[in-house]
Amino acid sequence: MFKFITGSINRKLVLLVMGVTLIPLAMTTFLGIWMAQNALEKQLAAGLDGLRINKAKAITDHLQQAVNDASVAAGQIRVAKLLTELNFDQTQTDASLKGISSSGEHSGFIIYSEEKNAPVYTLGINKDDVVKTFPKSKLEEFCMKVVKEGKTKFLDYIEYAPVNGPAMFVGAPIFSNGKTVGVFLLLVNIAQIDEIMLDSTGLGKTGESVIIGDDGFMRTSCKKRKLENLPSIMKIKVSDAMREDAFKSETGHTDFMLNSHDAEALVSKSKMDLKKVTSDLNWAIIVEVENHEIEAPVYAIIKNIIIASLVLGLIACLLGFLVARSVSKPLISLTSKVVKLANGDLTVEIENVKRDDEIGVLIESFNRMLFSLREQTTKIQEGTSELATAIVEISAAVSELAANSTETATAITEISTTMEEVKQTTHVAADKAAHVSETANRVSSISEDGNKATRDAINGMSNIKEEMMALAENIVKLSGQTQSIGEIILTVNDLAEQSNLLAVNAAIEAAKAGEFGKGFTVVAQEIKSLAEQSKASTRQVSGILNEIQQATSSAVMATERGSKAVEAGVHLSESAGEAISTLAESISESADATAQISASGKQQIIGIDQLAVALDSIRTATDQSLKGVQQLEYASVSMKELAAKLKSLTEQFKTN
Amino acid sequence: MKNENDQKLERKQEILRARAAALAAPAAGKDREAEFDVIVFRICNEHYGIECGFMREVCEAHSLTMIPCTPPWLTGIINLRGRIVAVLDLIKLFNLPDNGTETCKLAVVVGDHEFECGILVHELIGQRTVFKDEIQETDHRSAQEAPPRWLKNITSDRLIILDYEKIRSDKSIIINAEPGEELM
């Protein structure tokens, strides 16, 4: 049940709203009822007190009346005469005494004669019954007490047979000649007292008021029993607690206790103040109202309040449900998504809600978080696979390294044997170096001669080069001159043509002259043939000139080639010289070098010894590194496992 | 290689030339009946001749003045020592086959005291005498191969002799047109 409520924010919120509404309501209700009850009780108590006081006064007045009536009746001469004169007339007396109880307030009276010690006269009561029950009765005792004390007294309720029920008497002494001769016994009208007490005005349905004596028996009727026609006077006794409480004070007080019907009731009670009337009666008055009647309005209020509370609770429930739903609906959808997310499913999508409150912000932030989480997870997955491949590579590399280390160890052993051989070889090399040094010195002097020869060759080549240059210039000049010869030939050719033209014109003119011009025609013919000859000559010359030009062109090219060849020769001889001098230098350097070689050979031997020591330490280091590599191998294996674990971990997240 | 080819060609030409000279020599030396003297010139690949009597002179055709609104065969006019002479282009006039590469540098001027005109030629060959036995009948040749209008005779060595009288009497070379009129 508890889990059912705490498991849902919706139910929680509904419950909360209900609690917030109903708890103050309940508190207010409780307070209101309590206060209302208190006020009611106080008011009722005051009412009960007032009633009690009024009733007590009425009773006191009634008793006072009885006392007064009794005293007045006793003081009448007729009464005294009745007792002193022996033979009084019964009927006459009746007539005269009827007036005493003419008011009708009293039930009747008895006159007691001290002399006869018996009742002598009765009114309203059967005389025979009175006389019969009188001897040795409480009434006789009472009469004697009144005679003895000589003052008016009350006889409390007794069971009196002549009236067939309870009765109360007021006894007043009858004086005659200063002597008590009898007692006037007034039968108090107890029905009237009962009536006063039974009047339940202002008491409600269950309200009751009774008078009790100090023996605890009721002096007036109980209302309930009266309705059922049951006698209660001197028959019903109140509880001792009630009696004691009632006789506690004369001012009276009100509280709750069980009444004679064994019901909880508000009871106002006090001892009755009858000192002014008589000291014979010790009575208390009790006014009570039963609780259920007092509480009836309170219960009505409670009923209304409960109905109101139920309605309010229902409304609160509805309101709470609405409020809770507006809050919890997005939260519930979010929760389902988050549950999926917790199971590693990152592909969930949450539709954005257009809300400005914290829930909207929450959903938006959640979306953003989801996005970044997805990206990060994807990157981690990529990283993990990269890591896995890298580790595989590393482990391969480590295996290789291990193999290499083993190889290195064997290589070192080989090296140390080789080194011994090297040591031997170095000795031989030092001897050879000394020999080479001598040879190098000889070669150096020879190369010096070679150097000189190449220098001469370079000089010769330079001379040739200059000659070639001059030749080339001349040939170029020649070529230019052949060009001008060509121009001259053109001019001559032109002249020949012109003369041909002239010859023709001359021939024409000659022809025009007829016979006279015949000789001129011959001249013209001659001129023409001359022109033709010169033309033929120019043709020949130009042919020769063409050949010359071709020859000069090839000569120019040849000289060009020649000068280039010479230049190349110069370069070659120069580089030969350089080579020879470099050779000489390197030979002397090699001589120096061989000297150094022989010196360093000795140092080498020392170095090789040191190398052997170093090799030993390398070997130990290699062993250590071999161990290290093995550890590395173990480490790489565990890394591989780790990568696999990591991969399986990241693969729990679905991103696509 | 090239040179060898050239030399061979030259040698062949030389042989041919010598042969031609040998053949020509006896004809010149023979006593034959001379018909008339002609001035021989070349237009394109044909040799033409005109009788010396109708020739005025041969001049260089370098200062030709072109005349607007004239037929294309009238190349222009030249000032020949104070006389204005029209120069004709026979290539355009008779639609002769022309290779178009050679320029005509010379003009042959023909005429008498009434008429005068120049003919553009490629080369002046010279004067020669035409003998009677050389002249062939015009029937022997196709009319299409020679200028039909001005032809007088053709010699056995393919010299086309032009008739001055035909040139002179040819109305079609007289230009008398207003500007805008259709030209011949």
Side-chain angles (χ1 to χ4, degrees), chain A residues 529-571:
Chain A
S529 68
L530 271 177
E532 270 168 6
Q533 273 174 21
S534 57
K535 219 174 177 180
S537 303
T538 52
R539 255 205 297 280
Q540 272 180 349
V541 169
S542 74
I544 293 161
L545 203 65
N546 263 341
E547 276 166 25
I548 289 170
Q549 270 174 350
Q550 279 173 5
T552 47
S553 304
S554 53
V556 164
M557 269 156 46
T559 45
E560 200 88 351
R561 279 203 296 276
S563 64
K564 268 183 190 164
V566 167
E567 211 147 306
V570 168
H571 277 305

Side-chain angles (χ1 to χ4, degrees), chain A residues 198 208 222-230 261 290:
Chain A
L198 279 172
E208 263 187 87
C222 172
K223 195 170 159 191
K224 235 179 193 172
R225 287 177 74 86
K226 183 86 180 172
L227 287 171
E228 291 165 18
N229 272 329
L230 289 169
H261 310 296
E290 279 185 13

Side-chain angles (χ1 to χ4, degrees), chain B residues 38 41 43 48-51 54 90 94 119 147 150-153 159-167:
Chain B
V38 291
F41 49 85
I43 298 173
Y48 298 87
I50 289 177
E51 277 180 65
F54 305 117
L90 296 197
F94 299 131
I119 296 163
W150 298 350
L151 181 69
K152 185 179 183 183
N153 292 112
L159 177 68
I160 301 160
I161 296 162
L162 300 175
D163 193 347
Y164 171 70
E165 290 300 326
K166 284 182 181 167
I167 297 170

